[in-house]
Amino acid sequence: MTWQTLRTDLATQGYIAGDDLAMALHLAGSLERPLLLEGEAGVGKTELAKTLATLKSTQLIRLQCYEGLDASHALYEWNYQRQLLAIRAAAEEGVTGRETEDRIFSEDYLIARPLLQALQQDAPPVLLIDEIDRADEEFEAYLLEILSDFQVTIPELGTIAAKTRPHVILTANGTRDLSDALRRRCLYAYLDYPDRTTELAILAARHPGLEAHLCGQIVGFVQALRREDLEKKPGIAEMLDFAAALAGMGLNDLTDDPVALQKSLVTLLKTQRDRAAVPAEVAARLAGKAA
């Protein structure tokens, strides 16, 4: 498969990828390397992993990162309640010592978390490590070994190697700087807000029933909003929600019903400050200029 074919296949699933992104994703697959995606929230980083899983008809395994994330939540942990029950049952049976230990520290009592799940799949899954920059540097360092060797060591069981190498996508929103060591192990692509032509193509792919005039107004309005002084600029998902809301209200032109337009901004503006920054008169002005 060429990168051009991959870009076309993504488009059939409603994901419009630029040449650079399609090439990066293609090379990540052919070289079996993780792909690090950076960019503002809402530009389609997570959606790319979901679309890739759909395209390849494989499982999407998602690890949502956060401050304080550790190996027990990302890799595995033991089912302590089942282990205690097993110890009591073994004692009643007169089984003690090493035999009991071997029983309770087997895979039957292991709870696999996303990283271990990804290594255990018979078919290569898509492993999405979402918002890696929210995790601590200690966890990032721990992740390096897994991304290098695609194997993990569990003291009670030994080393578990991946049955098949997963397609790994990491996303980052710029919360903190990532280490050079992590970047060296990954291919890289930066996703920005789409230009007008690309965003129109995304809207047409996801809402094919909308009239071209309204599509142009929606994209123009949302892109104008992003140039306003907002805490959280509306992303692609918000733009699509906005379009669905307008279609649901039966609006064919943004200037037809200023009250309905203002109410529909709940799909685009997600903080009280941003709502206050776009009163009805500002919304009407932006709608009037939207082509």
Side-chain angles (χ1 to χ4, degrees), residues 120-142:
Q120 293 176 324
Q121 303 303 310
D122 292 326
V126 173
L127 172 60
L128 170 61
I129 303 176
D130 218 2
E131 298 183 305
I132 179 60
D133 51 332
R134 292 188 179 274
D136 301 327
E137 293 180 4
E138 291 79 5
F139 178 77
E140 182 185 326
Y142 173 78

mmCIF file with all atom_site columns, all heavy atoms in Angstrom, residues 120-142:
data_model
loop_
_atom_site.group_PDB
_atom_site.id
_atom_site.type_symbol
_atom_site.label_atom_id
_atom_site.label_alt_id
_atom_site.label_comp_id
_atom_site.label_asym_id
_atom_site.label_entity_id
_atom_site.label_seq_id
_atom_site.pdbx_PDB_ins_code
_atom_site.Cartn_x
_atom_site.Cartn_y
_atom_site.Cartn_z
_atom_site.occupancy
_atom_site.B_iso_or_equiv
_atom_site.pdbx_formal_charge
_atom_site.auth_seq_id
_atom_site.auth_comp_id
_atom_site.auth_asym_id
_atom_site.auth_atom_id
_atom_site.pdbx_PDB_model_num
ATOM 1   N N   . GLN A 1 120 ? -0.809 -8.814  23.849 1.00 0.00 ? 120 GLN A N   1
ATOM 2   C CA  . GLN A 1 120 ? -1.387 -10.158 23.892 1.00 0.00 ? 120 GLN A CA  1
ATOM 3   C C   . GLN A 1 120 ? -2.285 -10.473 22.706 1.00 0.00 ? 120 GLN A C   1
ATOM 4   O O   . GLN A 1 120 ? -2.780 -11.590 22.596 1.00 0.00 ? 120 GLN A O   1
ATOM 5   C CB  . GLN A 1 120 ? -2.193 -10.332 25.191 1.00 0.00 ? 120 GLN A CB  1
ATOM 6   C CG  . GLN A 1 120 ? -1.344 -10.340 26.454 1.00 0.00 ? 120 GLN A CG  1
ATOM 7   C CD  . GLN A 1 120 ? -2.197 -10.418 27.716 1.00 0.00 ? 120 GLN A CD  1
ATOM 8   O OE1 . GLN A 1 120 ? -3.275 -9.842  27.781 1.00 0.00 ? 120 GLN A OE1 1
ATOM 9   N NE2 . GLN A 1 120 ? -1.716 -11.147 28.703 1.00 0.00 ? 120 GLN A NE2 1
ATOM 10  N N   . GLN A 1 121 ? -2.495 -9.507  21.813 1.00 0.00 ? 121 GLN A N   1
ATOM 11  C CA  . GLN A 1 121 ? -3.439 -9.717  20.712 1.00 0.00 ? 121 GLN A CA  1
ATOM 12  C C   . GLN A 1 121 ? -2.844 -10.575 19.610 1.00 0.00 ? 121 GLN A C   1
ATOM 13  O O   . GLN A 1 121 ? -1.672 -10.441 19.263 1.00 0.00 ? 121 GLN A O   1
ATOM 14  C CB  . GLN A 1 121 ? -3.874 -8.366  20.136 1.00 0.00 ? 121 GLN A CB  1
ATOM 15  C CG  . GLN A 1 121 ? -4.487 -7.427  21.146 1.00 0.00 ? 121 GLN A CG  1
ATOM 16  C CD  . GLN A 1 121 ? -5.687 -8.008  21.855 1.00 0.00 ? 121 GLN A CD  1
ATOM 17  O OE1 . GLN A 1 121 ? -6.608 -8.517  21.204 1.00 0.00 ? 121 GLN A OE1 1
ATOM 18  N NE2 . GLN A 1 121 ? -5.678 -7.952  23.178 1.00 0.00 ? 121 GLN A NE2 1
ATOM 19  N N   . ASP A 1 122 ? -3.667 -11.458 19.063 1.00 0.00 ? 122 ASP A N   1
ATOM 20  C CA  . ASP A 1 122 ? -3.213 -12.311 17.958 1.00 0.00 ? 122 ASP A CA  1
ATOM 21  C C   . ASP A 1 122 ? -3.059 -11.520 16.659 1.00 0.00 ? 122 ASP A C   1
ATOM 22  O O   . ASP A 1 122 ? -2.199 -11.830 15.837 1.00 0.00 ? 122 ASP A O   1
ATOM 23  C CB  . ASP A 1 122 ? -4.206 -13.457 17.753 1.00 0.00 ? 122 ASP A CB  1
ATOM 24  C CG  . ASP A 1 122 ? -4.210 -14.434 18.922 1.00 0.00 ? 122 ASP A CG  1
ATOM 25  O OD1 . ASP A 1 122 ? -3.130 -14.643 19.517 1.00 0.00 ? 122 ASP A OD1 1
ATOM 26  O OD2 . ASP A 1 122 ? -5.283 -14.970 19.250 1.00 0.00 ? 122 ASP A OD2 1
ATOM 27  N N   . ALA A 1 123 ? -3.905 -10.514 16.470 1.00 0.00 ? 123 ALA A N   1
ATOM 28  C CA  . ALA A 1 123 ? -3.800 -9.629  15.306 1.00 0.00 ? 123 ALA A CA  1
ATOM 29  C C   . ALA A 1 123 ? -3.319 -8.267  15.794 1.00 0.00 ? 123 ALA A C   1
ATOM 30  O O   . ALA A 1 123 ? -3.709 -7.825  16.875 1.00 0.00 ? 123 ALA A O   1
ATOM 31  C CB  . ALA A 1 123 ? -5.144 -9.501  14.607 1.00 0.00 ? 123 ALA A CB  1
ATOM 32  N N   . PRO A 1 124 ? -2.462 -7.585  15.032 1.00 0.00 ? 124 PRO A N   1
ATOM 33  C CA  . PRO A 1 124 ? -1.909 -6.309  15.497 1.00 0.00 ? 124 PRO A CA  1
ATOM 34  C C   . PRO A 1 124 ? -3.015 -5.287  15.787 1.00 0.00 ? 124 PRO A C   1
ATOM 35  O O   . PRO A 1 124 ? -3.747 -4.895  14.877 1.00 0.00 ? 124 PRO A O   1
ATOM 36  C CB  . PRO A 1 124 ? -1.037 -5.848  14.323 1.00 0.00 ? 124 PRO A CB  1
ATOM 37  C CG  . PRO A 1 124 ? -0.745 -7.081  13.542 1.00 0.00 ? 124 PRO A CG  1
ATOM 38  C CD  . PRO A 1 124 ? -1.950 -7.962  13.695 1.00 0.00 ? 124 PRO A CD  1
ATOM 39  N N   . PRO A 1 125 ? -3.158 -4.845  17.025 1.00 0.00 ? 125 PRO A N   1
ATOM 40  C CA  . PRO A 1 125 ? -4.147 -3.814  17.331 1.00 0.00 ? 125 PRO A CA  1
ATOM 41  C C   . PRO A 1 125 ? -3.573 -2.432  17.080 1.00 0.00 ? 125 PRO A C   1
ATOM 42  O O   . PRO A 1 125 ? -2.383 -2.275  16.793 1.00 0.00 ? 125 PRO A O   1
ATOM 43  C CB  . PRO A 1 125 ? -4.394 -4.033  18.829 1.00 0.00 ? 125 PRO A CB  1
ATOM 44  C CG  . PRO A 1 125 ? -3.049 -4.463  19.338 1.00 0.00 ? 125 PRO A CG  1
ATOM 45  C CD  . PRO A 1 125 ? -2.422 -5.280  18.229 1.00 0.00 ? 125 PRO A CD  1
ATOM 46  N N   . VAL A 1 126 ? -4.424 -1.438  17.181 1.00 0.00 ? 126 VAL A N   1
ATOM 47  C CA  . VAL A 1 126 ? -3.965 -0.049  17.223 1.00 0.00 ? 126 VAL A CA  1
ATOM 48  C C   . VAL A 1 126 ? -3.905 0.347   18.695 1.00 0.00 ? 126 VAL A C   1
ATOM 49  O O   . VAL A 1 126 ? -4.925 0.327   19.380 1.00 0.00 ? 126 VAL A O   1
ATOM 50  C CB  . VAL A 1 126 ? -4.901 0.889   16.450 1.00 0.00 ? 126 VAL A CB  1
ATOM 51  C CG1 . VAL A 1 126 ? -4.490 2.350   16.664 1.00 0.00 ? 126 VAL A CG1 1
ATOM 52  C CG2 . VAL A 1 126 ? -4.879 0.550   14.965 1.00 0.00 ? 126 VAL A CG2 1
ATOM 53  N N   . LEU A 1 127 ? -2.710 0.662   19.168 1.00 0.00 ? 127 LEU A N   1
ATOM 54  C CA  . LEU A 1 127 ? -2.525 1.085   20.548 1.00 0.00 ? 127 LEU A CA  1
ATOM 55  C C   . LEU A 1 127 ? -2.445 2.607   20.570 1.00 0.00 ? 127 LEU A C   1
ATOM 56  O O   . LEU A 1 127 ? -1.496 3.192   20.051 1.00 0.00 ? 127 LEU A O   1
ATOM 57  C CB  . LEU A 1 127 ? -1.258 0.471   21.144 1.00 0.00 ? 127 LEU A CB  1
ATOM 58  C CG  . LEU A 1 127 ? -0.844 0.997   22.527 1.00 0.00 ? 127 LEU A CG  1
ATOM 59  C CD1 . LEU A 1 127 ? -1.936 0.730   23.558 1.00 0.00 ? 127 LEU A CD1 1
ATOM 60  C CD2 . LEU A 1 127 ? 0.475  0.361   22.965 1.00 0.00 ? 127 LEU A CD2 1
ATOM 61  N N   . LEU A 1 128 ? -3.431 3.231   21.160 1.00 0.00 ? 128 LEU A N   1
ATOM 62  C CA  . LEU A 1 128 ? -3.468 4.682   21.271 1.00 0.00 ? 128 LEU A CA  1
ATOM 63  C C   . LEU A 1 128 ? -3.031 5.088   22.676 1.00 0.00 ? 128 LEU A C   1
ATOM 64  O O   . LEU A 1 128 ? -3.702 4.765   23.655 1.00 0.00 ? 128 LEU A O   1
ATOM 65  C CB  . LEU A 1 128 ? -4.882 5.203   20.994 1.00 0.00 ? 128 LEU A CB  1
ATOM 66  C CG  . LEU A 1 128 ? -5.147 6.684   21.299 1.00 0.00 ? 128 LEU A CG  1
ATOM 67  C CD1 . LEU A 1 128 ? -4.256 7.582   20.453 1.00 0.00 ? 128 LEU A CD1 1
ATOM 68  C CD2 . LEU A 1 128 ? -6.622 7.019   21.091 1.00 0.00 ? 128 LEU A CD2 1
ATOM 69  N N   . ILE A 1 129 ? -1.894 5.773   22.769 1.00 0.00 ? 129 ILE A N   1
ATOM 70  C CA  . ILE A 1 129 ? -1.417 6.307   24.042 1.00 0.00 ? 129 ILE A CA  1
ATOM 71  C C   . ILE A 1 129 ? -1.748 7.790   24.010 1.00 0.00 ? 129 ILE A C   1
ATOM 72  O O   . ILE A 1 129 ? -1.006 8.606   23.445 1.00 0.00 ? 129 ILE A O   1
ATOM 73  C CB  . ILE A 1 129 ? 0.086  6.051   24.228 1.00 0.00 ? 129 ILE A CB  1
ATOM 74  C CG1 . ILE A 1 129 ? 0.367  4.539   24.123 1.00 0.00 ? 129 ILE A CG1 1
ATOM 75  C CG2 . ILE A 1 129 ? 0.571  6.582   25.574 1.00 0.00 ? 129 ILE A CG2 1
ATOM 76  C CD1 . ILE A 1 129 ? 1.845  4.178   24.196 1.00 0.00 ? 129 ILE A CD1 1
ATOM 77  N N   . ASP A 1 130 ? -2.890 8.128   24.586 1.00 0.00 ? 130 ASP A N   1
ATOM 78  C CA  . ASP A 1 130 ? -3.479 9.445   24.403 1.00 0.00 ? 130 ASP A CA  1
ATOM 79  C C   . ASP A 1 130 ? -2.976 10.436  25.447 1.00 0.00 ? 130 ASP A C   1
ATOM 80  O O   . ASP A 1 130 ? -2.971 10.136  26.650 1.00 0.00 ? 130 ASP A O   1
ATOM 81  C CB  . ASP A 1 130 ? -5.002 9.330   24.488 1.00 0.00 ? 130 ASP A CB  1
ATOM 82  C CG  . ASP A 1 130 ? -5.710 10.230  23.500 1.00 0.00 ? 130 ASP A CG  1
ATOM 83  O OD1 . ASP A 1 130 ? -5.031 10.922  22.723 1.00 0.00 ? 130 ASP A OD1 1
ATOM 84  O OD2 . ASP A 1 130 ? -6.957 10.223  23.489 1.00 0.00 ? 130 ASP A OD2 1
ATOM 85  N N   . GLU A 1 131 ? -2.550 11.600  24.973 1.00 0.00 ? 131 GLU A N   1
ATOM 86  C CA  . GLU A 1 131 ? -2.091 12.701  25.824 1.00 0.00 ? 131 GLU A CA  1
ATOM 87  C C   . GLU A 1 131 ? -0.924 12.264  26.723 1.00 0.00 ? 131 GLU A C   1
ATOM 88  O O   . GLU A 1 131 ? -0.958 12.421  27.933 1.00 0.00 ? 131 GLU A O   1
ATOM 89  C CB  . GLU A 1 131 ? -3.241 13.259  26.658 1.00 0.00 ? 131 GLU A CB  1
ATOM 90  C CG  . GLU A 1 131 ? -4.364 13.840  25.810 1.00 0.00 ? 131 GLU A CG  1
ATOM 91  C CD  . GLU A 1 131 ? -5.481 14.468  26.617 1.00 0.00 ? 131 GLU A CD  1
ATOM 92  O OE1 . GLU A 1 131 ? -6.043 13.779  27.479 1.00 0.00 ? 131 GLU A OE1 1
ATOM 93  O OE2 . GLU A 1 131 ? -5.779 15.648  26.374 1.00 0.00 ? 131 GLU A OE2 1
ATOM 94  N N   . ILE A 1 132 ? 0.103  11.731  26.102 1.00 0.00 ? 132 ILE A N   1
ATOM 95  C CA  . ILE A 1 132 ? 1.268  11.247  26.827 1.00 0.00 ? 132 ILE A CA  1
ATOM 96  C C   . ILE A 1 132 ? 1.924  12.365  27.627 1.00 0.00 ? 132 ILE A C   1
ATOM 97  O O   . ILE A 1 132 ? 2.557  12.121  28.669 1.00 0.00 ? 132 ILE A O   1
ATOM 98  C CB  . ILE A 1 132 ? 2.289  10.600  25.846 1.00 0.00 ? 132 ILE A CB  1
ATOM 99  C CG1 . ILE A 1 132 ? 3.529  10.096  26.574 1.00 0.00 ? 132 ILE A CG1 1
ATOM 100 C CG2 . ILE A 1 132 ? 2.684  11.581  24.759 1.00 0.00 ? 132 ILE A CG2 1
ATOM 101 C CD1 . ILE A 1 132 ? 3.263  9.049   27.629 1.00 0.00 ? 132 ILE A CD1 1
ATOM 102 N N   . ASP A 1 133 ? 1.769  13.599  27.193 1.00 0.00 ? 133 ASP A N   1
ATOM 103 C CA  . ASP A 1 133 ? 2.391  14.718  27.908 1.00 0.00 ? 133 ASP A CA  1
ATOM 104 C C   . ASP A 1 133 ? 1.700  15.030  29.227 1.00 0.00 ? 133 ASP A C   1
ATOM 105 O O   . ASP A 1 133 ? 2.202  15.830  30.014 1.00 0.00 ? 133 ASP A O   1
ATOM 106 C CB  . ASP A 1 133 ? 2.425  15.971  27.028 1.00 0.00 ? 133 ASP A CB  1
ATOM 107 C CG  . ASP A 1 133 ? 1.073  16.311  26.415 1.00 0.00 ? 133 ASP A CG  1
ATOM 108 O OD1 . ASP A 1 133 ? 0.264  15.389  26.201 1.00 0.00 ? 133 ASP A OD1 1
ATOM 109 O OD2 . ASP A 1 133 ? 0.834  17.493  26.135 1.00 0.00 ? 133 ASP A OD2 1
ATOM 110 N N   . ARG A 1 134 ? 0.565  14.403  29.506 1.00 0.00 ? 134 ARG A N   1
ATOM 111 C CA  . ARG A 1 134 ? -0.083 14.573  30.807 1.00 0.00 ? 134 ARG A CA  1
ATOM 112 C C   . ARG A 1 134 ? 0.494  13.618  31.852 1.00 0.00 ? 134 ARG A C   1
ATOM 113 O O   . ARG A 1 134 ? 0.321  13.828  33.054 1.00 0.00 ? 134 ARG A O   1
ATOM 114 C CB  . ARG A 1 134 ? -1.594 14.352  30.697 1.00 0.00 ? 134 ARG A CB  1
ATOM 115 C CG  . ARG A 1 134 ? -2.310 15.432  29.897 1.00 0.00 ? 134 ARG A CG  1
ATOM 116 C CD  . ARG A 1 134 ? -3.808 15.279  29.973 1.00 0.00 ? 134 ARG A CD  1
ATOM 117 N NE  . ARG A 1 134 ? -4.483 16.331  29.223 1.00 0.00 ? 134 ARG A NE  1
ATOM 118 C CZ  . ARG A 1 134 ? -4.774 17.531  29.712 1.00 0.00 ? 134 ARG A CZ  1
ATOM 119 N NH1 . ARG A 1 134 ? -4.441 17.811  30.963 1.00 0.00 ? 134 ARG A NH1 1
ATOM 120 N NH2 . ARG A 1 134 ? -5.391 18.425  28.975 1.00 0.00 ? 134 ARG A NH2 1
ATOM 121 N N   . ALA A 1 135 ? 1.154  12.558  31.405 1.00 0.00 ? 135 ALA A N   1
ATOM 122 C CA  . ALA A 1 135 ? 1.765  11.612  32.329 1.00 0.00 ? 135 ALA A CA  1
ATOM 123 C C   . ALA A 1 135 ? 3.081  12.173  32.857 1.00 0.00 ? 135 ALA A C   1
ATOM 124 O O   . ALA A 1 135 ? 3.673  13.071  32.263 1.00 0.00 ? 135 ALA A O   1
ATOM 125 C CB  . ALA A 1 135 ? 1.998  10.268  31.637 1.00 0.00 ? 135 ALA A CB  1
ATOM 126 N N   . ASP A 1 136 ? 3.543  11.625  33.972 1.00 0.00 ? 136 ASP A N   1
ATOM 127 C CA  . ASP A 1 136 ? 4.792  12.072  34.569 1.00 0.00 ? 136 ASP A CA  1
ATOM 128 C C   . ASP A 1 136 ? 5.973  11.599  33.739 1.00 0.00 ? 136 ASP A C   1
ATOM 129 O O   . ASP A 1 136 ? 5.885  10.630  32.968 1.00 0.00 ? 136 ASP A O   1
ATOM 130 C CB  . ASP A 1 136 ? 4.926  11.526  35.999 1.00 0.00 ? 136 ASP A CB  1
ATOM 131 C CG  . ASP A 1 136 ? 3.777  11.979  36.896 1.00 0.00 ? 136 ASP A CG  1
ATOM 132 O OD1 . ASP A 1 136 ? 3.289  13.101  36.689 1.00 0.00 ? 136 ASP A OD1 1
ATOM 133 O OD2 . ASP A 1 136 ? 3.376  11.202  37.777 1.00 0.00 ? 136 ASP A OD2 1
ATOM 134 N N   . GLU A 1 137 ? 7.102  12.273  33.933 1.00 0.00 ? 137 GLU A N   1
ATOM 135 C CA  . GLU A 1 137 ? 8.318  11.885  33.222 1.00 0.00 ? 137 GLU A CA  1
ATOM 136 C C   . GLU A 1 137 ? 8.754  10.473  33.596 1.00 0.00 ? 137 GLU A C   1
ATOM 137 O O   . GLU A 1 137 ? 9.331  9.759   32.775 1.00 0.00 ? 137 GLU A O   1
ATOM 138 C CB  . GLU A 1 137 ? 9.430  12.882  33.520 1.00 0.00 ? 137 GLU A CB  1
ATOM 139 C CG  . GLU A 1 137 ? 9.166  14.276  32.954 1.00 0.00 ? 137 GLU A CG  1
ATOM 140 C CD  . GLU A 1 137 ? 10.279 15.255  33.255 1.00 0.00 ? 137 GLU A CD  1
ATOM 141 O OE1 . GLU A 1 137 ? 11.291 14.823  33.848 1.00 0.00 ? 137 GLU A OE1 1
ATOM 142 O OE2 . GLU A 1 137 ? 10.143 16.443  32.914 1.00 0.00 ? 137 GLU A OE2 1
ATOM 143 N N   . GLU A 1 138 ? 8.474  10.052  34.825 1.00 0.00 ? 138 GLU A N   1
ATOM 144 C CA  . GLU A 1 138 ? 8.843  8.704   35.249 1.00 0.00 ? 138 GLU A CA  1
ATOM 145 C C   . GLU A 1 138 ? 8.103  7.652   34.430 1.00 0.00 ? 138 GLU A C   1
ATOM 146 O O   . GLU A 1 138 ? 8.677  6.635   34.022 1.00 0.00 ? 138 GLU A O   1
ATOM 147 C CB  . GLU A 1 138 ? 8.543  8.501   36.745 1.00 0.00 ? 138 GLU A CB  1
ATOM 148 C CG  . GLU A 1 138 ? 9.424  9.304   37.681 1.00 0.00 ? 138 GLU A CG  1
ATOM 149 C CD  . GLU A 1 138 ? 8.995  10.761  37.784 1.00 0.00 ? 138 GLU A CD  1
ATOM 150 O OE1 . GLU A 1 138 ? 7.948  11.129  37.193 1.00 0.00 ? 138 GLU A OE1 1
ATOM 151 O OE2 . GLU A 1 138 ? 9.702  11.538  38.452 1.00 0.00 ? 138 GLU A OE2 1
ATOM 152 N N   . PHE A 1 139 ? 6.826  7.910   34.177 1.00 0.00 ? 139 PHE A N   1
ATOM 153 C CA  . PHE A 1 139 ? 6.073  6.955   33.376 1.00 0.00 ? 139 PHE A CA  1
ATOM 154 C C   . PHE A 1 139 ? 6.547  6.980   31.934 1.00 0.00 ? 139 PHE A C   1
ATOM 155 O O   . PHE A 1 139 ? 6.639  5.934   31.282 1.00 0.00 ? 139 PHE A O   1
ATOM 156 C CB  . PHE A 1 139 ? 4.575  7.249   33.423 1.00 0.00 ? 139 PHE A CB  1
ATOM 157 C CG  . PHE A 1 139 ? 3.763  6.319   32.573 1.00 0.00 ? 139 PHE A CG  1
ATOM 158 C CD1 . PHE A 1 139 ? 3.488  5.038   33.002 1.00 0.00 ? 139 PHE A CD1 1
ATOM 159 C CD2 . PHE A 1 139 ? 3.310  6.709   31.316 1.00 0.00 ? 139 PHE A CD2 1
ATOM 160 C CE1 . PHE A 1 139 ? 2.766  4.158   32.209 1.00 0.00 ? 139 PHE A CE1 1
ATOM 161 C CE2 . PHE A 1 139 ? 2.593  5.846   30.521 1.00 0.00 ? 139 PHE A CE2 1
ATOM 162 C CZ  . PHE A 1 139 ? 2.314  4.559   30.976 1.00 0.00 ? 139 PHE A CZ  1
ATOM 163 N N   . GLU A 1 140 ? 6.861  8.147   31.433 1.00 0.00 ? 140 GLU A N   1
ATOM 164 C CA  . GLU A 1 140 ? 7.378  8.247   30.069 1.00 0.00 ? 140 GLU A CA  1
ATOM 165 C C   . GLU A 1 140 ? 8.649  7.429   29.910 1.00 0.00 ? 140 GLU A C   1
ATOM 166 O O   . GLU A 1 140 ? 8.831  6.725   28.914 1.00 0.00 ? 140 GLU A O   1
ATOM 167 C CB  . GLU A 1 140 ? 7.647  9.716   29.729 1.00 0.00 ? 140 GLU A CB  1
ATOM 168 C CG  . GLU A 1 140 ? 8.131  9.932   28.310 1.00 0.00 ? 140 GLU A CG  1
ATOM 169 C CD  . GLU A 1 140 ? 8.504  11.375  28.035 1.00 0.00 ? 140 GLU A CD  1
ATOM 170 O OE1 . GLU A 1 140 ? 7.844  12.268  28.598 1.00 0.00 ? 140 GLU A OE1 1
ATOM 171 O OE2 . GLU A 1 140 ? 9.456  11.608  27.260 1.00 0.00 ? 140 GLU A OE2 1
ATOM 172 N N   . ALA A 1 141 ? 9.531  7.494   30.924 1.00 0.00 ? 141 ALA A N   1
ATOM 173 C CA  . ALA A 1 141 ? 10.766 6.713   30.871 1.00 0.00 ? 141 ALA A CA  1
ATOM 174 C C   . ALA A 1 141 ? 10.463 5.220   30.902 1.00 0.00 ? 141 ALA A C   1
ATOM 175 O O   . ALA A 1 141 ? 11.110 4.419   30.215 1.00 0.00 ? 141 ALA A O   1
ATOM 176 C CB  . ALA A 1 141 ? 11.667 7.099   32.042 1.00 0.00 ? 141 ALA A CB  1
ATOM 177 N N   . TYR A 1 142 ? 9.479  4.823   31.702 1.00 0.00 ? 142 TYR A N   1
ATOM 178 C CA  . TYR A 1 142 ? 9.076  3.419   31.770 1.00 0.00 ? 142 TYR A CA  1
ATOM 179 C C   . TYR A 1 142 ? 8.536  2.943   30.421 1.00 0.00 ? 142 TYR A C   1
ATOM 180 O O   . TYR A 1 142 ? 8.762  1.804   29.998 1.00 0.00 ? 142 TYR A O   1
ATOM 181 C CB  . TYR A 1 142 ? 8.025  3.257   32.862 1.00 0.00 ? 142 TYR A CB  1
ATOM 182 C CG  . TYR A 1 142 ? 7.404  1.885   32.934 1.00 0.00 ? 142 TYR A CG  1
ATOM 183 C CD1 . TYR A 1 142 ? 8.085  0.831   33.526 1.00 0.00 ? 142 TYR A CD1 1
ATOM 184 C CD2 . TYR A 1 142 ? 6.145  1.644   32.395 1.00 0.00 ? 142 TYR A CD2 1
ATOM 185 C CE1 . TYR A 1 142 ? 7.514  -0.436  33.587 1.00 0.00 ? 142 TYR A CE1 1
ATOM 186 C CE2 . TYR A 1 142 ? 5.573  0.392   32.453 1.00 0.00 ? 142 TYR A CE2 1
ATOM 187 C CZ  . TYR A 1 142 ? 6.267  -0.640  33.049 1.00 0.00 ? 142 TYR A CZ  1
ATOM 188 O OH  . TYR A 1 142 ? 5.714  -1.886  33.100 1.00 0.00 ? 142 TYR A OH  1
#
